[in-house]
Amino acid sequence: MKTAFKRILTGVKKQGTIGLLILVTVGLVGCAESAFLKAKQRNTFQAYSEFLDKYSDSEFTEEALTLRNKKAFDTVKQQDSLEAYKQFLADYGDSEFADEATYRKTRRTFILTNTIGAYDRYLEEYPTGKFIHKVKELKEQAWFQQVKKENTIEACNEFLDDGNNEIYIDGVKRIREQVFFEQIKRQNTIQGYNDYLIEYPEGKYTVRVNQLKEKAWFEHARRQNSVEAFDDYLNQFPQGKFEPLVQKLRERAMFNTAKNENTLDEYNNYLKEYPKGSYLTQIMASKEKLQYEKAEKLNTVQAYDEYLSNFPQGHYLKEANMQRESLVYNQAQKANVVDFYDDYLKQYPAGSYAVEVKALKEKRMFEKARISNRVEDYDSYIKVFPFGEYLPQVKKLREKAWFDTIVATNTTKDYKGYLDEFPNGKYRESVQSLLDSLEDKSKQLTAKDWVENGLALKRGGEASHEELLSCFNKAIQIDPQYSRAFGNRGLIYFELKQYDKALRDFNQSIRLDTANPKGYVYRGDVYMKIGKKDQMCIDYKKACELDVCSALQIVQADNLCL
């Protein structure tokens, strides 16, 4: 340095005033360089500051400023305090270390206050700052820590709803699911478990939630203790853990319902579902008691029949049978009809009221016969009660009724019937006299008289076919040429469906009276019955020629005999 300075001085002497200026400049430059090298050797904030105080405009000033600011920032970093960073930014806010100092100040602020606000303020002040990405990460980390600390669904939802978070999303989702699970587990409601399963159908706790849900259903059903609640569980978990126990509880609930309701429908519902159930004995006993009480209340034969049908060996069998018999007896007595008495005796031939019912039946049959005064009713009494209490009276009344009847009919047959039935009867002489008179009179009757008698009997509606045939036969015996006798006898044979005899009589009637249209109509009817349609048409047309066309018109309406 001294040698170089001597050379400079020698040059100045040669160059004069200009040389002097150069000398001064070169000297100063040499001094600045020397001072900067010394400052760098010392490498302290103080050394660089002293250099800058002396040489604020040298070629080494900018580098000295950078080194001084770095030394100042290194010291602040070592102190790592909020006050140090603030002071540095106040003194060196325009230095190249300002952004990092600001970041460190913000970070230091967060560490001391444990809030997200510091990061938000940084992002607000430096939206494009050097450390924006780092600050965002730190903010998300701080938010994540806060979510973990709060440990609530709301905190998790707020974090997840923020579109700027990326790193801890999965972690927050896991926290949310765990919080959700713990929350519904504490609440222990079916709805809560359903909400979880809807949101996390394949979640971490899905298996456990399904188990808890089943248990909650079971506990709910057990608290409700109703058939409906147990059915709800079984519908949800047909193969569930508690299924065997629920089946038992359900049966017990149905039993309790039947016992509390105490109705036949409820007992029948239990028996329908549990025909061999654990409570079968109690149910059957309660049902029997209720059904017997119902029968007692209704007090009808049908009600007791229902009880006896369901419980043929029941506890109340004897009482039910006694009550039923009493009702049947009362009904018969009230109706006072033979059929009711017969119904009682059929059911209770040796019943408590059998003797009394037989006496009432006998009395009723006697009264009925006396009122109707018909031989048939007296005969019915005698048949049922051959040694009855009213037998002497019945026999007398029967004979009188028979006598009255034959007098009204006034036939030889009936008079002879009476004399056969009562050979020593009270009215024998009167009947014999009437019979003799009738026989004498019959000898004087003409064929026409016998036909008219037969027609009268037919109009009366009570004469038999045999009696009518007897009249017409006698007419033919008296006058074999009397056509009306053959025609009317033919009609009786026609009614008896003896068509061959009817045809023979109608033929004879026509031969004896060819101008009588009825003979052709009657014979045409026989031809119709035996299937001879052609002969039928001939006779109907012949009758129409004789002015009786009704038969022909009827068959022509059916497209016959056209």
Side-chain angles (χ1 to χ4, degrees):
M1 177 72 73
K2 290 180 180 180
T3 302
F5 190 65
K6 286 179 179 181
R7 284 199 299 270
I8 292 170
L9 288 174
T10 302
V12 169
K13 289 177 180 180
K14 292 179 180 180
Q15 297 296 328
T17 303
I18 295 173
L20 180 60
L21 291 171
I22 293 171
L23 175 62
V24 172
T25 301
V26 172
L28 290 173
V29 171
C31 290
E33 180 182 7
S34 175
F36 179 64
L37 290 173
K38 286 181 179 181
K40 286 180 70 175
Q41 286 177 352
R42 289 171 61 190
N43 196 26
T44 64
F45 174 82
Q46 184 65 32
Y48 292 126
S49 294
E50 290 176 355
F51 172 82
L52 291 169
D53 289 341
K54 291 182 180 180
Y55 306 101
S56 59
D57 194 26
S58 71
E59 63 180 300
F60 305 103
T61 298
E62 186 175 347
E63 185 177 358
L65 281 170
T66 299
L67 292 171
R68 184 197 68 179
N69 292 345
K70 183 177 183 305
K71 281 296 180 181
F73 187 59
D74 288 341
T75 301
V76 168
K77 284 197 297 182
Q78 289 177 357
Q79 294 175 354
D80 196 24
S81 68
L82 184 62
E83 290 75 11
Y85 290 127
K86 286 182 179 179
Q87 188 61 49
F88 178 84
L89 289 169
D91 295 339
Y92 309 102
D94 56 350
S95 71
E96 62 267 42
F97 303 103
D99 283 348
E100 186 175 357
T102 300
Y103 158 71
R104 287 179 175 273
K105 183 189 80 168
T106 303
R107 188 171 183 275
R108 186 60 180 164
T109 300
F110 166 71
I111 292 172
L112 292 174
T113 61
N114 195 28
T115 65
I116 302 168
Y119 293 118
D120 285 336
R121 286 195 299 273
Y122 175 88
L123 294 171
E124 184 179 346
E125 290 182 28
Y126 304 99
T128 58
K130 178 180 179 181
F131 303 100
I132 187 169
H133 295 297
K134 184 64 176 176
V135 168
K136 285 182 178 180
E137 291 177 8
L138 290 170
K139 175 188 174 183
E140 186 176 347
Q141 182 182 23
W143 200 344
F144 176 65
Q145 295 299 329
Q146 182 176 315
V147 167
K148 286 203 298 183
K149 183 178 180 181
E150 292 184 16
N151 202 36
T152 65
I153 297 289
E154 292 74 15
C156 293
N157 288 341
E158 186 178 355
F159 181 93
L160 294 171
D161 290 342
D162 190 293
N164 296 315
N165 296 323
E166 298 176 355
I167 302 172
Y168 297 96
I169 286 178
D170 291 339
V172 171
K173 286 181 178 179
R174 287 192 294 271
I175 292 172
R176 186 185 187 281
E177 181 182 358
Q178 182 178 0
V179 171
F180 200 164
F181 170 68
E182 295 296 338
Q183 177 178 305
I184 63 171
K185 190 166 68 169
R186 285 192 303 272
Q187 294 172 348
N188 193 31
T189 65
I190 295 169
Q191 185 59 50
Y193 294 128
N194 285 336
D195 290 343
Y196 174 90
L197 293 170
I198 291 171
E199 194 156 348
Y200 301 101
E202 297 180 2
K204 179 180 178 181
Y205 306 99
T206 298
V207 174
R208 180 59 179 154
V209 167
N210 275 316
Q211 293 171 349
L212 292 170
K213 176 185 174 183
E214 180 185 356
K215 186 178 179 183
W217 268 104
F218 169 68
E219 290 172 348
H220 169 74
R222 191 162 58 176
R223 284 193 304 272
Q224 295 290 317
N225 195 30
S226 68
V227 175
E228 294 75 13
F230 291 124
D231 283 342
D232 288 342
Y233 170 88
L234 293 171
N235 289 333
Q236 288 284 329
F237 308 97
Q239 304 297 324
K241 176 182 177 182
F242 304 100
E243 186 268 340
L245 178 57
V246 168
Q247 291 286 8
K248 292 180 180 179
L249 293 172
R250 182 185 186 277
E251 181 185 356
R252 187 173 70 181
M254 184 168 277
F255 166 69
N256 288 332
T257 299
K259 189 169 61 174
N260 293 333
E261 294 291 331
N262 193 33
T263 65
L264 292 175
D265 286 343
E266 291 297 338
Y267 290 131
N268 289 333
N269 287 341
Y270 175 91
L271 292 170
K272 182 179 179 181
E273 293 207 34
Y274 302 100
K276 298 181 180 179
S278 304
Y279 306 96
L280 181 61
T281 302
Q282 299 97 307
I283 287 288
M284 290 301 292
S286 297
K287 178 185 176 183
E288 180 187 357
K289 183 174 184 293
L290 180 62
Q291 191 145 35
Y292 179 70
E293 289 173 350
K294 177 184 176 183
E296 279 189 317
K297 184 177 180 180
L298 295 175
N299 198 34
T300 64
V301 173
Q302 292 76 11
Y304 284 112
D305 282 344
E306 187 176 358
Y307 167 82
L308 293 168
S309 174
N310 289 327
F311 302 96
Q313 303 298 324
H315 181 71
Y316 307 97
L317 180 62
K318 183 178 179 181
E319 294 87 342
N321 275 319
M322 289 175 60
Q323 292 296 329
R324 185 186 186 281
E325 181 184 356
S326 178
L327 286 169
V328 173
Y329 166 70
N330 289 333
Q331 287 177 356
Q333 190 181 39
K334 184 177 180 180
N336 194 26
V337 175
V338 173
D339 288 344
F340 278 70
Y341 292 130
D342 285 340
D343 185 51
Y344 172 89
L345 292 170
K346 182 179 179 181
Q347 296 182 60
Y348 304 101
S352 304
Y353 307 96
V355 174
E356 187 176 352
V357 168
K358 287 177 182 178
L360 291 169
K361 176 185 176 184
E362 180 184 357
K363 183 180 179 182
R364 181 56 184 158
M365 287 189 73
F366 170 66
E367 291 173 347
K368 179 182 178 182
R370 190 169 58 180
I371 293 169
S372 68
N373 198 33
R374 294 173 57 202
V375 175
E376 293 82 357
D377 290 336
Y378 290 123
D379 286 341
S380 296
Y381 173 90
I382 293 170
K383 182 179 179 180
V384 177
F385 301 102
F387 306 101
E389 179 183 355
Y390 305 98
L391 184 61
Q393 293 172 263
V394 167
K395 286 183 177 180
K396 291 179 181 180
L397 292 169
R398 177 176 179 270
E399 182 183 355
K400 179 66 169 56
W402 197 316
F403 174 71
D404 292 341
T405 301
I406 63 174
V407 170
T409 59
N410 193 32
T411 66
T412 303
K413 179 182 177 183
D414 288 342
Y415 289 136
K416 289 181 178 180
Y418 172 87
L419 293 171
D420 291 338
E421 181 74 15
F422 305 100
N424 299 310
K426 179 179 179 180
Y427 308 100
R428 176 176 176 77
E429 292 181 1
S430 298
V431 170
Q432 186 64 56
S433 175
L434 290 168
L435 175 61
D436 293 342
S437 175
L438 187 61
E439 287 179 342
D440 291 341
K441 185 177 179 181
S442 65
K443 292 175 182 178
Q444 302 172 7
L445 293 177
T446 64
K448 181 180 178 182
D449 292 335
W450 281 109
V451 170
E452 293 299 332
N453 285 342
L455 293 175
L457 288 173
K458 188 175 183 181
R459 286 192 295 272
E462 295 185 359
S464 66
H465 288 104
E466 288 75 13
E467 290 174 327
L468 296 175
L469 286 172
S470 177
C471 290
F472 300 134
N473 286 335
K474 288 181 179 180
I476 292 171
Q477 289 173 2
I478 294 171
D479 185 1
Q481 302 301 312
Y482 190 44
S483 66
R484 286 184 66 204
F486 287 100
N488 282 288
R489 190 175 73 172
L491 288 174
I492 300 303
Y493 286 135
F494 185 83
E495 290 178 3
L496 292 171
K497 297 183 180 179
Q498 297 178 17
Y499 300 124
D500 53 341
K501 292 182 179 180
L503 184 60
R504 188 166 56 246
D505 277 354
F506 293 143
N507 285 335
Q508 184 63 18
S509 176
I510 292 171
R511 278 195 294 270
L512 294 172
D513 187 1
T514 57
N516 184 2
K518 291 184 179 179
Y520 296 103
V521 172
Y522 296 153
R523 190 172 67 178
D525 291 343
V526 174
Y527 284 140
M528 177 188 287
K529 289 294 183 181
I530 63 178
K532 294 184 177 182
K533 302 291 179 64
D534 292 339
Q535 290 91 327
M536 175 193 74
C537 291
I538 292 170
D539 278 350
Y540 285 166
K541 288 179 179 179
K542 182 63 178 178
C544 189
E545 290 174 4
L546 297 172
D547 295 330
V548 177
C549 299
S550 56
L552 180 63
Q553 290 170 352
I554 289 172
V555 295
Q556 285 181 340
D558 292 331
N559 295 320
L560 296 173
C561 304
L562 299 175

